[in-house]
Amino acid sequence: LARLQQYVPCLERKHIEGWKSGVRAIAVNQEGILDEFVIEEGVPGRIINVRNAPSPACTASLQIAEEVITRADDVNFFQGL
């Protein structure tokens, strides 16, 4: 608790006890729930976002990384590094 309070000073033990696991956010768009992760360009040429990549995406993490690198290469993201 003391280590957490370094970041959130008002945190109390009652805030971290008695909760059950298993709650997960669900990403949605105008069409409804997103079943798959989404890779999109945020700030053109500067930021690539990977959204809705819950734990099942870990099995595809290398493919996700490959796609992010390909998209970054396409906009010359690594130029000058």
Side-chain angles (χ1 to χ4, degrees):
L1 178 61
R3 290 179 66 194
L4 293 172
Q5 287 171 327
Q6 292 174 352
Y7 301 100
V8 184
C10 64
L11 191 68
E12 299 175 17
R13 184 163 300 283
K14 68 181 179 183
H15 296 132
I16 59 173
E17 287 186 343
W19 296 95
K20 296 179 182 179
S21 63
V23 176
R24 184 179 107 199
I26 298 174
V28 296
N29 64 12
Q30 292 81 6
E31 287 81 41
I33 295 173
L34 296 174
D35 292 330
E36 298 291 328
F37 56 87
V38 177
I39 301 173
E40 62 187 5
E41 194 171 356
V43 177
R46 296 185 59 205
I47 297 174
I48 297 173
N49 297 311
V50 178
R51 299 187 300 120
N52 198 39
S55 57
C58 291
T59 59
S61 61
L62 295 177
Q63 288 79 11
I64 292 170
E66 187 174 298
E67 179 64 22
V68 168
I69 289 170
T70 298
R71 290 182 186 212
D73 258 348
D74 289 347
V75 296
N76 297 316
F77 184 85
F78 301 110
Q79 188 174 21
L81 295 181

